[in-house]
């Protein structure tokens, strides 16, 4: 799963469906949508409802088939 950031900046665990893994990258088939904000580092130990201050980063590449 991933840690999802809600609009009120609280977090919650979100189960996801995993696809293939290749070269340290993991495909996510379902459970989150484009535009969802997830914790990419420092999320270990976060409990549901914890308030965070997200730092947005832009993705380096678009998903295949998306532009």
């Amino acid at each position: 799963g991933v840690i999802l950031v809600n609009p009120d900046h609280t977090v919650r665990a979100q189960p996801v469906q995993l696809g293939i893994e290749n070269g340290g990258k993991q495909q996510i088939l379902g459970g989150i949508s484009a535009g969802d904000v997830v914790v990419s580092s420092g999320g270990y130990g976060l409990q549901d409802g914890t308030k965070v201050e997200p730092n947005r980063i832009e993705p380096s590449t678009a998903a295949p088939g998306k532009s």
Side-chain angles (χ1 to χ4, degrees):
V2 299
I3 304 295
L4 188 69
V5 181
N6 297 309
D8 66 355
H9 292 185
T10 59
V11 298
R12 66 179 168 90
Q14 175 67 32
V16 294
Q17 297 168 302
L18 299 178
I20 59 172
E21 185 271 330
N22 185 8
K25 295 183 179 182
Q26 181 70 57
Q27 180 184 35
I28 298 178
L29 300 174
I32 58 173
S33 300
D36 284 348
V37 179
V38 297
V39 175
S40 62
S41 65
Y44 181 78
L46 284 176
Q47 300 292 317
D48 284 359
T50 300
K51 194 116 175 150
V52 296
E53 187 59 42
N55 293 318
R56 290 188 177 265
I57 57 171
E58 294 301 318
S60 57
T61 59
K66 307 279 184 185
S67 54

